[in-house]
Structures are given as structure tokens and as C-alpha cells.
Amino acid sequence: TNIMPELPDVELYLEGLRRHLTGETIRRVVIKSPFVLRTIQPEIDSLQGARVVDFSRIGKRIVWHLDQDRYIVFHLMISGRFHMRKPGALPRTKVELAAFQFDTKTLMLTEAGTKKRASIHLVGNSGGLQAFHRGGLDVLTCTATAFAERLTRSSRTVKLALMDPSTFDGIGNAYSDEILHRAKMSPFQRTRSLTPSQIEQLFCAAHQVLTEWINRLQNQLGGKFPEKVTAFRPEMAVHGKFGQDCPECQSRIQRIVFSEKEWNYCPVCQTAGKLLADRSLSRLLRDEWPKMADDA
């Protein structure tokens, strides 16, 4: 299944894009799917001859920095991916949405599946980037104090607090499962019921898990362009591991299925041996569930 790239996966793309495209000049942009381009100004043709100077991220969005204070903002959503192709390659298949042609290579944007939700925005100056900020805190750079303040700002389940892009930056379903397992915490613990030491534990777990995965993925890449980006990885402790053994205690990993998502947890490490029943949680979740498709 396709899974939305999360912070470590986006960092992986940034590393690959920096390595392969920094300093390159865009020779031509071919948009095959008119739905993918969400802005009219500046026009796409104006990017011809633009030089790529850097890359950054805003949450799960990827920003290309071009010369003359111009930017391209990509949101890959669940199924959007980048692929490096030969020079002059054109988008021909159903999944190929847009081609960015350079002298010696082409960067192809693809999106599998029938729901076309990936987007490209062109931005004419750095001030225009502000509109894409959701306000989430970057766990990798924030202080423990800032993390605690943000986490306890409202009372909700800790799982949804981690996944909320206006609370924390770039953490989705997969890495929140991993962080909670590392912190030995139930996904349904309430944020305001956490003790200071539990908050500290969660902060450390978030920092460790995200840092470890960024390093692991970049080491696996070995300088190549990342062609297989997913937030589901066989080395994960609990995410996507329903029915398998917990690497810590060897008990069975359990799941909660809700709103087309599956959350995974270890009942021994995280919930004092209790299985979390789907049905009793449905109402609790319905009230708190992010309202927009790309919120989570």
C-alpha cells in the first residue's frame, strides 16, 4: 500500500534532490495532468532557464528554491513520488503527472492510484511560502519545554497530537506508531494526563526515532536518488506488523483499524496488557479525527 511520506522520507528526498539537482538549470517543464498544477501565477513556462539553488521542506511539503526568489512547492500526499529519468523524458503513462527536464536528466513526478491529490504550487517570492506553513513544531529542532507546551495545549489522545500538522511537523501514522512504542506509551493516553517525566520520555523517543530513521535511510541510499520512498519499512518495530512479535517483549503486535488507517501497538510494552477495542474508541476518535484528508 502507498503511505504518505513522513519527515524522514521527505528528508531522504531533500538529500537526493540536493545531491542530483542543485545548480542545474530547468530546460523545460511538461505538465500532463492539469489538476496537479494549483497556481496560475507565475506561469509554468516562466521556469524555463531557472536555476535550482536549494531545497527545503515545510512540514511534508518539498520546496525547490530557484534563482530570482522563485519557488516550486510540491505536496506528494499519499501516492506522489519523484523519479529520476533520462534527459528529455516525457510524462506518458497514466501515473506520470509532470516532467522537469534538465540537461542530463529529467525529474518525473508520478502518482499511483485513481485519486489524484498530489499538487504543485509556483510561488513568486519567499513571502508566498508562508501560506503553506501549518504551524507545526519541528521535533528535531525544538526544545523539550516547547515540545511539552505544544503537546499539552489541548486535551486529546497523544497519537492524534503527534499526527496533527498544526501541532507537530511532518509526523504521520507510521512514525507516530514507532515513537509511541519507543516511549512505551498507549496511543490513547490523554496529553494532559501525562506526567512531566512521561512528556520528557515522549520527546526523547520522538527525537531518537526520527533521527535514527533519517540516518538509516540516507545510509541505505548510498548517494543514489531515492526511487522507493515509503513510510512502511520492514525494520520498523510495530508499524505494519500486526500479528508479528514485538522486538522488545515478543508478544503479538495488535492493531486498531479506524477510518481506513491502521494503528499498531504492543499491548505488553504500551497498554499494560490491555487490548484496545475498536468499537469503544470509535466515538472518542470521531470527535478528534482530523477533518481534512491531508491533515493526517
PDB file of all heavy atoms in Angstrom, residues 257-278:
ATOM      1  N   VAL A 257      -8.141  -0.503  13.748  1.00  0.00           N
ATOM      2  CA  VAL A 257      -8.455  -0.051  12.400  1.00  0.00           C
ATOM      3  C   VAL A 257      -9.565   0.980  12.502  1.00  0.00           C
ATOM      4  O   VAL A 257     -10.619   0.715  13.079  1.00  0.00           O
ATOM      5  CB  VAL A 257      -8.895  -1.229  11.505  1.00  0.00           C
ATOM      6  CG1 VAL A 257      -9.222  -0.747  10.110  1.00  0.00           C
ATOM      7  CG2 VAL A 257      -7.793  -2.274  11.451  1.00  0.00           C
ATOM      8  N   PHE A 258      -9.295   2.163  11.969  1.00  0.00           N
ATOM      9  CA  PHE A 258     -10.283   3.230  12.050  1.00  0.00           C
ATOM     10  C   PHE A 258     -10.076   4.176  10.880  1.00  0.00           C
ATOM     11  O   PHE A 258      -8.953   4.565  10.586  1.00  0.00           O
ATOM     12  CB  PHE A 258     -10.130   3.999  13.373  1.00  0.00           C
ATOM     13  CG  PHE A 258     -11.164   5.066  13.549  1.00  0.00           C
ATOM     14  CD1 PHE A 258     -12.423   4.753  14.036  1.00  0.00           C
ATOM     15  CD2 PHE A 258     -10.900   6.372  13.198  1.00  0.00           C
ATOM     16  CE1 PHE A 258     -13.387   5.723  14.188  1.00  0.00           C
ATOM     17  CE2 PHE A 258     -11.858   7.353  13.346  1.00  0.00           C
ATOM     18  CZ  PHE A 258     -13.105   7.025  13.839  1.00  0.00           C
ATOM     19  N   SER A 259     -11.161   4.503  10.189  1.00  0.00           N
ATOM     20  CA  SER A 259     -11.119   5.494   9.116  1.00  0.00           C
ATOM     21  C   SER A 259     -10.020   5.179   8.092  1.00  0.00           C
ATOM     22  O   SER A 259      -9.203   6.028   7.761  1.00  0.00           O
ATOM     23  CB  SER A 259     -10.882   6.879   9.722  1.00  0.00           C
ATOM     24  OG  SER A 259     -10.932   7.871   8.736  1.00  0.00           O
ATOM     25  N   GLU A 260      -9.991   3.922   7.643  1.00  0.00           N
ATOM     26  CA  GLU A 260      -9.035   3.454   6.617  1.00  0.00           C
ATOM     27  C   GLU A 260      -7.585   3.483   7.071  1.00  0.00           C
ATOM     28  O   GLU A 260      -6.677   3.303   6.289  1.00  0.00           O
ATOM     29  CB  GLU A 260      -9.162   4.280   5.321  1.00  0.00           C
ATOM     30  CG  GLU A 260     -10.500   4.104   4.639  1.00  0.00           C
ATOM     31  CD  GLU A 260     -10.610   4.937   3.364  1.00  0.00           C
ATOM     32  OE1 GLU A 260      -9.593   5.515   2.944  1.00  0.00           O
ATOM     33  OE2 GLU A 260     -11.715   4.999   2.816  1.00  0.00           O
ATOM     34  N   LYS A 261      -7.371   3.728   8.350  1.00  0.00           N
ATOM     35  CA  LYS A 261      -5.999   3.698   8.855  1.00  0.00           C
ATOM     36  C   LYS A 261      -5.854   2.533   9.818  1.00  0.00           C
ATOM     37  O   LYS A 261      -6.816   2.115  10.442  1.00  0.00           O
ATOM     38  CB  LYS A 261      -5.665   4.997   9.596  1.00  0.00           C
ATOM     39  CG  LYS A 261      -5.447   6.181   8.673  1.00  0.00           C
ATOM     40  CD  LYS A 261      -4.862   7.330   9.443  1.00  0.00           C
ATOM     41  CE  LYS A 261      -4.892   8.600   8.641  1.00  0.00           C
ATOM     42  NZ  LYS A 261      -4.159   8.540   7.386  1.00  0.00           N
ATOM     43  N   GLU A 262      -4.623   2.050   9.924  1.00  0.00           N
ATOM     44  CA  GLU A 262      -4.335   1.018  10.913  1.00  0.00           C
ATOM     45  C   GLU A 262      -3.263   1.551  11.852  1.00  0.00           C
ATOM     46  O   GLU A 262      -2.229   2.030  11.418  1.00  0.00           O
ATOM     47  CB  GLU A 262      -3.836  -0.243  10.207  1.00  0.00           C
ATOM     48  CG  GLU A 262      -3.482  -1.347  11.170  1.00  0.00           C
ATOM     49  CD  GLU A 262      -3.124  -2.653  10.451  1.00  0.00           C
ATOM     50  OE1 GLU A 262      -3.873  -3.068   9.553  1.00  0.00           O
ATOM     51  OE2 GLU A 262      -2.095  -3.244  10.810  1.00  0.00           O
ATOM     52  N   TRP A 263      -3.575   1.502  13.140  1.00  0.00           N
ATOM     53  CA  TRP A 263      -2.592   1.896  14.144  1.00  0.00           C
ATOM     54  C   TRP A 263      -2.080   0.619  14.794  1.00  0.00           C
ATOM     55  O   TRP A 263      -2.853  -0.276  15.100  1.00  0.00           O
ATOM     56  CB  TRP A 263      -3.223   2.769  15.221  1.00  0.00           C
ATOM     57  CG  TRP A 263      -3.805   4.055  14.730  1.00  0.00           C
ATOM     58  CD1 TRP A 263      -3.809   4.529  13.456  1.00  0.00           C
ATOM     59  CD2 TRP A 263      -4.479   5.027  15.531  1.00  0.00           C
ATOM     60  NE1 TRP A 263      -4.443   5.741  13.418  1.00  0.00           N
ATOM     61  CE2 TRP A 263      -4.862   6.075  14.665  1.00  0.00           C
ATOM     62  CE3 TRP A 263      -4.791   5.115  16.892  1.00  0.00           C
ATOM     63  CZ2 TRP A 263      -5.539   7.194  15.125  1.00  0.00           C
ATOM     64  CZ3 TRP A 263      -5.467   6.228  17.339  1.00  0.00           C
ATOM     65  CH2 TRP A 263      -5.836   7.261  16.473  1.00  0.00           C
ATOM     66  N   ASN A 264      -0.786   0.533  15.010  1.00  0.00           N
ATOM     67  CA  ASN A 264      -0.210  -0.667  15.619  1.00  0.00           C
ATOM     68  C   ASN A 264       0.438  -0.349  16.952  1.00  0.00           C
ATOM     69  O   ASN A 264       1.007   0.729  17.132  1.00  0.00           O
ATOM     70  CB  ASN A 264       0.826  -1.291  14.682  1.00  0.00           C
ATOM     71  CG  ASN A 264       0.209  -1.731  13.361  1.00  0.00           C
ATOM     72  OD1 ASN A 264       0.491  -1.152  12.331  1.00  0.00           O
ATOM     73  ND2 ASN A 264      -0.645  -2.734  13.394  1.00  0.00           N
ATOM     74  N   TYR A 265       0.336  -1.317  17.871  1.00  0.00           N
ATOM     75  CA  TYR A 265       0.913  -1.108  19.205  1.00  0.00           C
ATOM     76  C   TYR A 265       1.201  -2.478  19.823  1.00  0.00           C
ATOM     77  O   TYR A 265       0.666  -3.497  19.391  1.00  0.00           O
ATOM     78  CB  TYR A 265      -0.062  -0.320  20.106  1.00  0.00           C
ATOM     79  CG  TYR A 265      -1.320  -1.081  20.449  1.00  0.00           C
ATOM     80  CD1 TYR A 265      -1.439  -1.763  21.666  1.00  0.00           C
ATOM     81  CD2 TYR A 265      -2.383  -1.153  19.552  1.00  0.00           C
ATOM     82  CE1 TYR A 265      -2.587  -2.488  21.963  1.00  0.00           C
ATOM     83  CE2 TYR A 265      -3.529  -1.870  19.846  1.00  0.00           C
ATOM     84  CZ  TYR A 265      -3.631  -2.531  21.057  1.00  0.00           C
ATOM     85  OH  TYR A 265      -4.767  -3.269  21.348  1.00  0.00           O
ATOM     86  N   CYS A 266       2.056  -2.475  20.836  1.00  0.00           N
ATOM     87  CA  CYS A 266       2.323  -3.696  21.588  1.00  0.00           C
ATOM     88  C   CYS A 266       1.574  -3.604  22.917  1.00  0.00           C
ATOM     89  O   CYS A 266       1.834  -2.704  23.715  1.00  0.00           O
ATOM     90  CB  CYS A 266       3.817  -3.841  21.848  1.00  0.00           C
ATOM     91  SG  CYS A 266       4.152  -5.133  23.066  1.00  0.00           S
ATOM     92  N   PRO A 267       0.641  -4.544  23.189  1.00  0.00           N
ATOM     93  CA  PRO A 267      -0.139  -4.461  24.423  1.00  0.00           C
ATOM     94  C   PRO A 267       0.708  -4.603  25.689  1.00  0.00           C
ATOM     95  O   PRO A 267       0.377  -4.007  26.714  1.00  0.00           O
ATOM     96  CB  PRO A 267      -1.151  -5.602  24.296  1.00  0.00           C
ATOM     97  CG  PRO A 267      -0.635  -6.495  23.232  1.00  0.00           C
ATOM     98  CD  PRO A 267       0.237  -5.683  22.341  1.00  0.00           C
ATOM     99  N   VAL A 268       1.792  -5.349  25.623  1.00  0.00           N
ATOM    100  CA  VAL A 268       2.619  -5.521  26.821  1.00  0.00           C
ATOM    101  C   VAL A 268       3.466  -4.272  27.079  1.00  0.00           C
ATOM    102  O   VAL A 268       3.484  -3.730  28.178  1.00  0.00           O
ATOM    103  CB  VAL A 268       3.507  -6.784  26.698  1.00  0.00           C
ATOM    104  CG1 VAL A 268       4.510  -6.857  27.851  1.00  0.00           C
ATOM    105  CG2 VAL A 268       2.628  -8.032  26.673  1.00  0.00           C
ATOM    106  N   CYS A 269       4.144  -3.783  26.037  1.00  0.00           N
ATOM    107  CA  CYS A 269       5.020  -2.613  26.205  1.00  0.00           C
ATOM    108  C   CYS A 269       4.238  -1.314  26.402  1.00  0.00           C
ATOM    109  O   CYS A 269       4.724  -0.395  27.057  1.00  0.00           O
ATOM    110  CB  CYS A 269       5.917  -2.434  24.987  1.00  0.00           C
ATOM    111  SG  CYS A 269       7.183  -3.693  24.781  1.00  0.00           S
ATOM    112  N   GLN A 270       3.040  -1.228  25.822  1.00  0.00           N
ATOM    113  CA  GLN A 270       2.385   0.079  25.751  1.00  0.00           C
ATOM    114  C   GLN A 270       1.070   0.222  26.512  1.00  0.00           C
ATOM    115  O   GLN A 270       0.712   1.327  26.890  1.00  0.00           O
ATOM    116  CB  GLN A 270       2.138   0.460  24.282  1.00  0.00           C
ATOM    117  CG  GLN A 270       3.407   0.730  23.498  1.00  0.00           C
ATOM    118  CD  GLN A 270       3.131   0.941  22.020  1.00  0.00           C
ATOM    119  OE1 GLN A 270       3.343   0.049  21.217  1.00  0.00           O
ATOM    120  NE2 GLN A 270       2.632   2.118  21.680  1.00  0.00           N
ATOM    121  N   THR A 271       0.326  -0.866  26.684  1.00  0.00           N
ATOM    122  CA  THR A 271      -1.016  -0.698  27.280  1.00  0.00           C
ATOM    123  C   THR A 271      -1.261  -1.614  28.473  1.00  0.00           C
ATOM    124  O   THR A 271      -2.393  -2.020  28.730  1.00  0.00           O
ATOM    125  CB  THR A 271      -2.128  -0.907  26.218  1.00  0.00           C
ATOM    126  OG1 THR A 271      -2.003  -2.242  25.680  1.00  0.00           O
ATOM    127  CG2 THR A 271      -2.027   0.100  25.088  1.00  0.00           C
ATOM    128  N   ALA A 272      -0.199  -1.960  29.180  1.00  0.00           N
ATOM    129  CA  ALA A 272      -0.298  -2.787  30.396  1.00  0.00           C
ATOM    130  C   ALA A 272      -1.085  -4.070  30.146  1.00  0.00           C
ATOM    131  O   ALA A 272      -1.858  -4.530  30.977  1.00  0.00           O
ATOM    132  CB  ALA A 272      -0.952  -1.989  31.529  1.00  0.00           C
ATOM    133  N   GLY A 273      -0.883  -4.650  28.950  1.00  0.00           N
ATOM    134  CA  GLY A 273      -1.518  -5.932  28.627  1.00  0.00           C
ATOM    135  C   GLY A 273      -2.932  -5.827  28.093  1.00  0.00           C
ATOM    136  O   GLY A 273      -3.527  -6.821  27.689  1.00  0.00           O
ATOM    137  N   LYS A 274      -3.494  -4.614  28.074  1.00  0.00           N
ATOM    138  CA  LYS A 274      -4.879  -4.457  27.612  1.00  0.00           C
ATOM    139  C   LYS A 274      -4.942  -4.347  26.095  1.00  0.00           C
ATOM    140  O   LYS A 274      -4.132  -3.664  25.480  1.00  0.00           O
ATOM    141  CB  LYS A 274      -5.501  -3.193  28.219  1.00  0.00           C
ATOM    142  CG  LYS A 274      -5.898  -3.342  29.681  1.00  0.00           C
ATOM    143  CD  LYS A 274      -6.949  -2.318  30.081  1.00  0.00           C
ATOM    144  CE  LYS A 274      -6.344  -0.934  30.265  1.00  0.00           C
ATOM    145  NZ  LYS A 274      -5.589  -0.805  31.519  1.00  0.00           N
ATOM    146  N   LEU A 275      -5.947  -5.023  25.529  1.00  0.00           N
ATOM    147  CA  LEU A 275      -6.229  -4.843  24.104  1.00  0.00           C
ATOM    148  C   LEU A 275      -7.184  -3.664  23.967  1.00  0.00           C
ATOM    149  O   LEU A 275      -8.149  -3.551  24.721  1.00  0.00           O
ATOM    150  CB  LEU A 275      -6.872  -6.097  23.510  1.00  0.00           C
ATOM    151  CG  LEU A 275      -5.987  -7.340  23.434  1.00  0.00           C
ATOM    152  CD1 LEU A 275      -6.730  -8.451  22.715  1.00  0.00           C
ATOM    153  CD2 LEU A 275      -4.689  -7.048  22.700  1.00  0.00           C
ATOM    154  N   LEU A 276      -6.914  -2.799  23.020  1.00  0.00           N
ATOM    155  CA  LEU A 276      -7.766  -1.635  22.812  1.00  0.00           C
ATOM    156  C   LEU A 276      -8.869  -2.006  21.829  1.00  0.00           C
ATOM    157  O   LEU A 276      -8.595  -2.336  20.678  1.00  0.00           O
ATOM    158  CB  LEU A 276      -6.930  -0.473  22.272  1.00  0.00           C
ATOM    159  CG  LEU A 276      -5.739  -0.063  23.145  1.00  0.00           C
ATOM    160  CD1 LEU A 276      -4.872   0.963  22.431  1.00  0.00           C
ATOM    161  CD2 LEU A 276      -6.206   0.486  24.484  1.00  0.00           C
ATOM    162  N   ALA A 277     -10.113  -1.985  22.294  1.00  0.00           N
ATOM    163  CA  ALA A 277     -11.234  -2.389  21.446  1.00  0.00           C
ATOM    164  C   ALA A 277     -11.567  -1.279  20.464  1.00  0.00           C
ATOM    165  O   ALA A 277     -11.674  -0.121  20.837  1.00  0.00           O
ATOM    166  CB  ALA A 277     -12.451  -2.692  22.302  1.00  0.00           C
ATOM    167  N   ASP A 278     -11.742  -1.663  19.199  1.00  0.00           N
ATOM    168  CA  ASP A 278     -12.048  -0.675  18.172  1.00  0.00           C
ATOM    169  C   ASP A 278     -13.332   0.102  18.465  1.00  0.00           C
ATOM    170  O   ASP A 278     -13.388   1.306  18.352  1.00  0.00           O
ATOM    171  CB  ASP A 278     -12.227  -1.348  16.799  1.00  0.00           C
ATOM    172  CG  ASP A 278     -10.894  -1.829  16.245  1.00  0.00           C
ATOM    173  OD1 ASP A 278      -9.931  -1.823  17.017  1.00  0.00           O
ATOM    174  OD2 ASP A 278     -10.841  -2.198  15.077  1.00  0.00           O
TER     175      ASP A 278
END
